[in-house]
Amino acid sequence: MTDTPSPTPGKVRVPAEDLRAFATALLEKGGLSPEHARTTADVFVWAARRGVESHGLARVPAYLDLLAKGVANARPDLRIDSATSATAVLDADRAPGPVALSIAAEEAVERARVNGIASVGVRRTVHTGAIGYYVSKIAEQGLVGLGFVAGMPNMAYTGAKGAAVATSPLAIAVPAADHAPLLLDMATATIALGKIRQARSNGTPLPPGAAATEDGTPTADPEKAVMPLPLGGAKGSGMSLAFELLTSVLVGAPIFSAFHSGDPAGREHRQNALLIAIDPAAFGDPAAFTAAVDATLGTLKGLPVADGADGVYYPGERSAAVAAERGEHGVPVAPKVWRDLTDRAGRLGVTPPGAG
């Protein structure tokens, strides 16, 4: 593990459990059931603990707005529409992503225990949140987790004009015995949309090749940038299109073709996902597998360190260290986010942590 930086001056430190209870209370006031509110809050706090601020506590006000506008369904009729012993399709009925994908992850684990491998598609959900959370939950059960998401087009596609595909993420979690699990969690975009907004607010230029204007022309000017460019050009845009086929098209809920059809209904916000669980026991001794994972990660950690680098790290290692530190000392919350949360709390009659 590596040392973690001190929180930015002005941020407040709040115990993770207090934040979880606070977010749960706000989401309940927003209309979610107690169980669904706890599940959604847990995803946000998990992201905040690992330093993924874009998917952390700042999402609570956004979800309250989605619920208030009816974009997210506070009382969804979640159901398995079709299934074999190793596959299932969960119709989310516009449930918040944390609710739908948490159910899908549990379903995938249960089926993989029997079949060795299982996949669960999710259709018609609303903002999946941090996809790494769900595959991590699979890895906590000793299984390998993979996740793919397809959403609304908000990213350029190589050779096309304007927003064409989504910044669709993928995540892979692999359990280990003595190391923190490997967790690869990445989008298919070069830069997050939030980074573009942040650069615009700060008046700082964007990295070359990271963002584009409305017609898809690359730009480093944050005032002109409206969308990210795909990671690795054709590689990132091709991955996004593939994820649309593996999720949306596979579960009978296409997003890409509907979005570009000209039908206003095709522009309604929605996301689809696919979670896969693989049981190492189906391939051999699971203890031998995690030991070999440890050996692999240990080998990587033992490689010579490049000039100027502070170490060799595997995906998820540093965020796990951040989570451990914040679990012990509290989660730093940015002043603007804290103001947004406490303002919502005042309007909804919820007492913020430390104010009671």
Side-chain angles (χ1 to χ4, degrees):
M1 299 302 177
T2 184
D3 292 335
T4 57
S6 300
T8 303
K11 290 187 176 182
V12 296
R13 286 264 188 179
V14 184
E17 286 304 319
D18 289 350
L19 279 178
R20 186 175 288 105
F22 183 35
T24 297
L26 289 170
L27 291 164
E28 275 195 67
K29 290 289 187 179
L32 292 181
S33 69
E35 179 185 2
H36 288 178
R38 283 192 301 271
T39 297
T40 304
D42 194 56
V43 176
F44 296 153
V45 174
W46 180 89
R49 279 190 58 177
R50 297 182 75 94
V52 188
E53 315 299 350
S54 60
H55 287 67
L57 278 303
R59 287 291 177 179
V60 175
Y63 271 55
L64 290 173
D65 290 341
L66 290 173
L67 290 164
K69 295 174 182 176
V71 176
N73 188 355
R75 292 291 187 269
D77 178 19
L78 295 140
R79 64 184 186 275
I80 301 292
D81 273 358
S82 62
T84 66
S85 62
T87 63
V89 177
L90 174 68
D91 191 298
D93 190 27
R94 296 183 295 107
V99 173
L101 269 74
S102 291
I103 293 173
E106 294 174 2
E107 190 77 21
V109 169
E110 290 179 8
R111 292 170 184 267
R113 293 285 192 205
V114 176
N115 298 284
I117 184 170
S119 58
V120 179
V122 178
R123 64 170 167 243
R124 296 200 307 142
T125 189
V126 178
H127 192 270
T128 54
I131 188 70
Y133 173 90
Y134 314 106
V135 295
S136 292
K137 285 297 182 182
I138 294 173
E140 286 177 6
Q141 301 298 314
L143 282 68
V144 175
L146 296 84
F148 308 90
V149 172
M152 306 302 291
N154 58 358
M155 181 177 76
Y157 185 93
T158 302
K161 181 180 289 188
V165 291
T167 57
S168 302
L170 71 93
I172 303 171
V174 182
D178 299 323
H179 290 77
L182 178 143
L183 175 59
L184 175 67
D185 187 351
M186 56 172 281
T188 51
T190 300
I191 191 172
L193 281 167
K195 294 291 186 181
I196 295 176
R197 289 191 290 267
Q198 185 178 13
R200 189 177 301 129
S201 298
N202 298 337
T204 55
L206 293 162
T213 61
E214 188 172 1
D215 66 359
T217 302
T219 181
D221 185 346
E223 294 297 331
K224 296 179 180 178
V226 299
M227 61 183 168
L229 288 167
L231 182 66
K235 295 179 181 180
S237 56
M239 288 171 67
S240 177
L241 184 62
F243 296 168
E244 164 72 7
L245 298 176
L246 290 173
T247 59
S248 305
V249 175
L250 189 65
V251 301
I255 293 177
F256 176 83
S257 57
F259 181 90
H260 293 291
S261 69
D263 183 352
R267 300 293 176 110
E268 294 176 357
H269 175 76
R270 62 207 183 279
Q271 293 186 345
N272 301 309
L274 179 71
L275 294 181
I276 300 172
I278 303 172
D279 189 353
F283 295 83
D285 181 0
F289 171 73
T290 53
V293 172
D294 276 330
T296 301
L297 299 180
T299 300
L300 177 76
K301 297 290 295 175
L303 294 177
V305 179
D307 293 343
D310 64 351
V312 180
Y313 303 98
Y314 61 87
E317 180 184 5
R318 283 182 283 196
S319 61
V322 172
E325 187 274 335
R326 292 183 174 186
E328 182 177 355
H329 300 292
V331 179
V333 183
K336 181 182 183 302
V337 174
W338 189 246
R339 284 194 302 271
D340 288 346
L341 291 171
T342 54
D343 177 65
R344 297 292 182 126
R347 283 187 267 163
L348 295 172
V350 174
T351 302

